[in-house]
Amino acid sequence: MIYSLCFLLILIGLYGVLTRQNIIKIVISLLVIEYGIHLFLVLQGYRTGGTPPIVDSSIDKQLWLQQSVDPLPQALVLTSIVIGLGVLALMVALSMRIHERYGTFDIGKIKKLKG
Amino acid sequence: MNNLVPLLVAIPLGVGFLIPLAVRWKPQMAELLSNLALFGLVLLSLSLIGNQTIYHMGGWPTPNGIDLRIDDLSTLMLLTINGLALIVGIYSVVAMQPYTSQHRYYSLLMFLVAGTNGVALTGDLFNLYVFMEITAIASYALVAFSGEDESFEASLKYVVLGGLSSSVILIGISLLYAVTGTLNMTHLASRMSEVGETAPVKFALALFFCGFGLKAALVPFHTWLPDAYPAAPAPISALLSGVVSKVIGVYVLARLLFNVFGINDDMLLLMRWMGGITMVAGGLLAVGQWDIKRLFAYSSISQVGLIVLALGFGTTWGVVGALYHLVNHATFKPLLFLCSGQIETAAGTRDLRQMRGLGRRLPITAGTCMVGSLALAGIPPLNGFWSKLIIVVVGIQTDHTAWAVTVVVMSIVALAYQLKVQQRAFYGTADAPMEKQLPVSESPVLISIPMIVLAIGCIALSLLALSGLEHPLLVGPAADVLMRGVWKP
Amino acid sequence: MSSPQETHGMSMIVKTVCVWVKGFILLYGIHIILYGHLTPGGGFAGGVIAAAAFVLVMLAEGEDAALKTYSRKAASTWDSLGVLLFWLMAVLGVVVAGIYFFNFWTTSESARLTLFSGGIIPLCNVGIGLKVCSSLYLVTFVLTAHRWHLDTEGKDDAP
């Protein structure tokens, strides 16, 4: 059930990328898509009634193995967030340069390349 | 020797981050370090030929850790990537002189090479995603490098579409993780046979086709390419078209479909149709172009479609033809892009309608470009002919005669647009002299040598066919790797 | 023309708070980096928080003060050095123990789960933390506060 909410978030982002005319709104919609995917991935590791995957010297290892949530998707999502950050920085820099050259953020007017 | 395998990724990454420090000492260190590193990488990939290992990173056993798989297919890919990167690196030494902040270019080039090497080597699905993103981000920045208006627009288009495709691939990866609980490709292959073709697996497969199809620029996901390739500097267009779009698109798709998922007839049908439509659309759209690099970009789309079509035939000889054409394309298409860089420097424009008779002033460029064009069109005895011959014969053998005929027709169309470039740029009659006669003579040595090496490569690769069309020297074992089917633990 | 905020920062209240708070933010970031093998966080998250300290200085006190705290050249150097530290750890794995990225620094049994355990992981975290902090600071700086002078027109890339 909660996975369909993740997909709803992804679809909202996709709607934004497809229909918005402003570059900044397209960038933000791409981010929304990424948030939805990260949420979906983290939820894969969830175990009902689970504990955080942190080990202390006072925790019994076997019990911890049976009860903790899966830490692997969390590591994957951390990596993916950083990748998203890199792409975001690049997109923002490009949008700023385009605004400098073309004078607008509207993608309908940025059409020097055709064919 | 096995311990040196991760160096294929470690050396370019280290050099890429060393360059900003090193150029404070001496500005020429950027070119020197990168070319040395690329030369070392070529030697390293040559030493890996015939090696078949699984290298566990950090000592962690499968399935707990990330492993690197070296088999004949990845060796073939690595040779292509590193060889082409070295040639592009040498070409860039002179070609990038007019640009500012060259050391950033070399850093980005190193990251691009590190990323593609990583994609070719890895045996873990998320590691594949990370290296693919490294490659993609480096190429987004490199496409925008020349600082003209069109490069920013093209790069923005590329970033948005590429980001969308990466997101789609990540959804596919998370679905696979949800269903099978593992990310290691070997373990995934065995779990896939247990899980079967359930709905999430089919959805993930469809998402992979869309995502990697966009990276490979298959129709209908090709729209970023005709803007991105002309906007990039010439050596980067060469590297992107020759290697990157194939490794992070076609190679990954082939690896996942043949070795992890297990190929079946539906997938082959989809590959044939996507590849075939791409081939036809790319070729027909290329004929009407007046911008040299845009024409070559559409031609790249068409050739990649041909490779995917050949993969879709499904027999060993079909895969041989596809891989052989992949290597051939990685030889003659970068040659054409490098020549187009020279043409642009000499004529001051990329528009074919404004060029005449450059052949007299640029004999080496004209000669090598002619070799490349004939190879692309599939004229015997150059290398393009042999790979296209294999593909056509396989098409007839597997009862897909219509596709075989289409391949032949599109080869004739390819000949047409290549000759258009040749005639317009190099051999036009000088009755209407060019508006901008830039006083340039033949290219400096460091530019001519890479082009000549690639031209010789075209001829040398055709000799590969002499080692037996059924099972050529390096390509045959690589095709066997794919056709051996799903990986067993 | 640059707005007053770019060169002189924000109002007096914000500047006073910034003087007190920036040290704590940086310290918190360093804590998350160093304890990355025991608690959630590690190099990335800690680096982001440490970068936030420098970005706070930039927002509150203006571009010149930020450059005096952490100049562009220093940030670029630490950026490369951070990655080279991480790279060194990975390659040392080959040199010392024959496997790339091998955790060659074993800890005694009694010292498990304390600060000086976990082998090469804390050093890798430090490397990544340095890199992320410097990169984010540079990116935010270049994209927001920096005034591009007309004669230094260069290619725009995000470090």
Side-chain angles (χ1 to χ4, degrees):
Chain A
M1 166 57 192
I2 196 166
Y3 298 135
S4 48
L5 288 178
C6 292
F7 273 105
L8 187 63
L9 196 60
I10 296 175
L11 286 176
I12 291 175
L14 190 61
Y15 172 78
V17 172
L18 292 175
T19 56
R20 294 299 130 197
Q21 292 276 68
N22 192 334
I23 289 184
I24 304 297
K25 292 189 184 169
I26 295 179
V27 169
I28 295 178
S29 308
L30 271 173
L31 286 187
V32 170
I33 295 180
E34 287 193 25
Y35 292 155
I37 301 176
H38 295 157
L39 191 61
F40 181 62
L41 191 46
V42 170
L43 282 175
Q44 297 309 320
Y46 185 64
R47 184 178 275 175
T48 322
T51 56
I54 305 176
V55 180
D56 209 354
S57 42
S58 58
I59 289 187
D60 174 29
K61 291 254 176 59
Q62 288 297 1
L63 198 62
W64 181 85
L65 273 176
Q66 282 170 357
Q67 271 190 349
S68 84
V69 299
D70 192 359
L72 181 64
Q74 299 178 8
L76 303 180
V77 165
L78 198 58
T79 313
S80 184
I81 289 176
V82 178
I83 293 175
L85 172 71
V87 177
L88 170 67
L90 196 58
M91 280 197 279
V92 168
L94 279 174
S95 323
M96 280 176 57
R97 276 305 182 123
I98 285 185
H99 182 79
E100 205 177 276
R101 300 299 182 90
Y102 288 78
T104 174
F105 276 130
D106 188 349
I107 57 169
K109 302 204 176 64
I110 305 175
K111 272 194 192 166
K112 275 198 190 167
L113 293 169
K114 271 193 204 266
Chain B
M1 187 43 67
N2 276 346
N3 286 335
L4 297 180
V5 169
L7 284 182
L8 276 169
V9 174
I11 288 182
L13 270 182
V15 169
F17 281 109
L18 194 57
I19 285 177
L21 289 179
V23 289
R24 285 191 207 161
W25 175 39
K26 221 190 273 189
Q28 297 89 3
M29 289 300 283
E31 296 110 344
L32 196 62
L33 276 179
S34 9
N35 284 320
L36 275 177
L38 288 170
F39 185 63
L41 285 178
V42 169
L43 291 178
L44 199 54
S45 19
L46 278 173
S47 77
L48 280 179
I49 297 180
N51 217 340
Q52 308 254 5
T53 41
I54 303 181
Y55 183 86
H56 304 286
M57 293 257 279
W60 297 101
T62 327
N64 292 337
I66 296 178
D67 24 307
L68 306 175
R69 292 195 71 106
I70 303 126
D71 51 19
D72 295 300
L73 181 60
S74 39
T75 319
L76 183 69
M77 288 285 117
L78 285 172
L79 269 175
T80 317
I81 298 168
N82 293 319
L84 197 60
L86 179 63
I87 290 177
V88 162
I90 298 179
Y91 184 92
S92 310
V93 172
V94 176
M96 299 305 290
Q97 295 282 11
Y99 293 88
T100 54
S101 52
Q102 286 172 35
H103 63 275
R104 291 205 184 106
Y105 168 82
Y106 284 104
S107 289
L108 288 168
L109 181 66
M110 287 287 112
F111 295 150
L112 189 63
V113 171
T116 37
N117 277 345
V119 170
L121 273 176
T122 183
D124 178 273
L125 209 53
F126 197 76
N127 206 12
L128 179 81
Y129 174 73
V130 170
F131 277 123
M132 196 178 65
E133 282 300 287
I134 296 177
T135 312
I137 294 179
S139 59
Y140 302 154
L142 281 169
V143 165
F145 197 79
S146 45
E148 299 160 22
D149 303 355
E150 283 91 16
S151 353
F152 292 130
E153 178 191 339
S155 182
L156 188 73
K157 235 189 252 191
Y158 186 16
V159 174
V160 171
L161 285 172
L164 211 51
S165 76
S166 299
S167 310
V168 161
I169 293 172
L170 191 56
I171 301 179
I173 292 178
S174 31
L175 277 172
L176 279 183
Y177 181 69
V179 168
T180 56
T182 177
L183 286 169
N184 189 303
M185 285 205 236
T186 322
H187 200 211
L188 197 64
S190 54
R191 290 279 294 150
M192 198 63 64
S193 51
E194 292 166 30
V195 167
E197 285 261 324
T198 55
V201 171
K202 283 193 194 159
F203 187 34
L205 201 58
L207 288 173
F208 281 155
F209 260 106
C210 295
F212 291 119
L214 197 145
K215 301 287 189 196
L218 299 174
V219 169
F221 309 114
H222 68 289
T223 46
W224 57 272
L225 198 147
D227 294 327
Y229 281 13
I236 291 303
S237 303
L239 199 57
L240 281 179
S241 74
V243 158
V244 171
S245 87
K246 291 198 213 63
V247 171
I248 60 179
V250 178
Y251 163 78
V252 177
L253 204 55
R255 191 62 108 173
L256 284 178
L257 290 179
F258 281 86
N259 284 130
V260 174
F261 280 95
I263 201 89
N264 61 13
D265 285 331
D266 295 329
M267 293 184 212
L268 287 177
L269 182 72
L270 192 57
M271 282 171 83
R272 276 200 300 273
W273 275 98
M274 275 178 90
I277 295 180
T278 309
M279 180 178 70
V280 172
L284 291 180
L285 282 168
V287 178
Q289 298 297 324
W290 289 112
D291 181 342
I292 286 189
K293 289 173 89 175
R294 212 173 163 95
L295 193 148
F296 288 151
Y298 273 114
S299 166
S300 291
I301 296 178
S302 175
Q303 299 302 313
V304 170
L306 178 59
I307 296 173
V308 175
L309 172 67
L311 276 176
F313 285 142
T315 63
T316 310
W317 211 20
V319 177
V320 165
L323 289 176
Y324 193 16
H325 198 68
L326 196 150
V327 177
N328 287 340
H329 185 90
T331 318
F332 51 68
K333 189 46 68 67
L335 174 60
L336 291 173
F337 270 112
L338 295 182
C339 293
S340 75
Q342 271 309 92
I343 295 175
E344 190 179 356
T345 323
T349 173
R350 289 203 302 260
D351 193 338
L352 277 173
R353 288 170 288 206
Q354 294 173 13
M355 301 183 193
R356 294 253 184 281
L358 286 169
R360 276 187 298 282
R361 287 190 293 148
L362 299 174
I364 299 183
T365 311
T368 48
C369 196
M370 180 60 95
V371 171
S373 302
L374 293 179
L376 193 151
I379 306 290
L382 290 170
N383 51 1
F385 169 69
W386 298 109
S387 48
K388 287 195 183 180
L389 180 68
I390 297 178
I391 295 175
V392 169
V393 171
V394 170
I396 299 177
Q397 263 185 352
T398 50
D399 286 331
H400 295 121
T401 322
W403 284 124
V405 169
T406 321
V407 171
V408 175
V409 169
M410 292 319 293
S411 299
I412 300 177
V413 172
L415 184 62
Y417 59 68
Q418 289 296 333
L419 285 183
K420 166 178 167 179
V421 172
Q422 291 293 111
Q423 190 256 334
R424 287 263 171 184
F426 293 118
Y427 301 111
T429 53
D431 48 341
M434 277 172 21
E435 278 121 47
K436 299 186 199 177
Q437 288 278 5
L438 296 177
V440 66
S441 55
E442 185 46 74
S443 341
V445 171
L446 280 177
I447 289 206
S448 312
I449 288 190
M451 293 198 286
I452 295 177
V453 167
L454 279 177
I456 295 179
C458 286
I459 304 176
L461 277 174
S462 67
L463 296 175
L464 204 67
L466 287 178
S467 66
L469 264 187
E470 297 271 339
H471 210 249
L473 195 56
L474 284 168
V475 177
D480 286 335
V481 166
L482 278 183
M483 291 307 290
R484 239 175 262 149
V486 179
W487 273 333
K488 304 188 187 17
Chain C
M1 278 282 100
S2 54
S3 65
Q5 269 149 340
E6 280 173 25
T7 40
H8 302 297
M10 298 180 151
S11 66
M12 201 50 165
I13 299 179
V14 181
K15 278 194 195 168
T16 317
V17 172
C18 168
V19 163
W20 285 99
V21 160
K22 62 187 178 190
F24 286 111
I25 300 180
L26 187 59
L27 197 60
Y28 181 52
I30 294 177
H31 168 93
I32 293 210
I33 295 176
L34 282 180
Y35 274 86
H37 54 290
L38 296 171
T39 59
F44 294 136
V48 171
I49 296 173
F54 293 109
V55 170
L56 174 65
V57 169
M58 177 182 86
L59 288 176
E61 296 180 13
E63 175 192 346
D64 301 322
L67 280 180
K68 246 185 285 179
T69 322
Y70 200 16
S71 69
R72 281 182 70 181
K73 199 163 171 201
S76 177
T77 315
W78 282 112
D79 187 1
S80 302
L81 283 179
V83 177
L84 288 174
L85 175 63
F86 186 84
W87 187 82
L88 197 66
M89 287 292 117
V91 171
L92 274 180
V94 178
V95 169
V96 169
I99 305 178
Y100 189 71
F101 241 138
F102 184 66
N103 204 345
F104 54 86
W105 196 347
T106 49
T107 25
S108 58
E109 184 68 40
S110 62
R112 293 270 167 88
L113 297 177
T114 62
L115 180 55
F116 289 108
S117 59
I120 59 173
I121 297 179
L123 287 170
C124 293
N125 273 334
V126 166
I128 295 181
L130 279 174
K131 162 133 189 77
V132 172
C133 172
S134 313
S135 293
L136 273 183
Y137 169 65
L138 276 177
V139 166
T140 320
F141 184 76
V142 164
L143 288 181
T144 57
H146 188 64
R147 287 160 285 149
W148 288 98
H149 304 286
L150 285 168
D151 52 356
T152 58
E153 180 73 44
K155 176 196 96 63
D156 193 40
D157 69 334

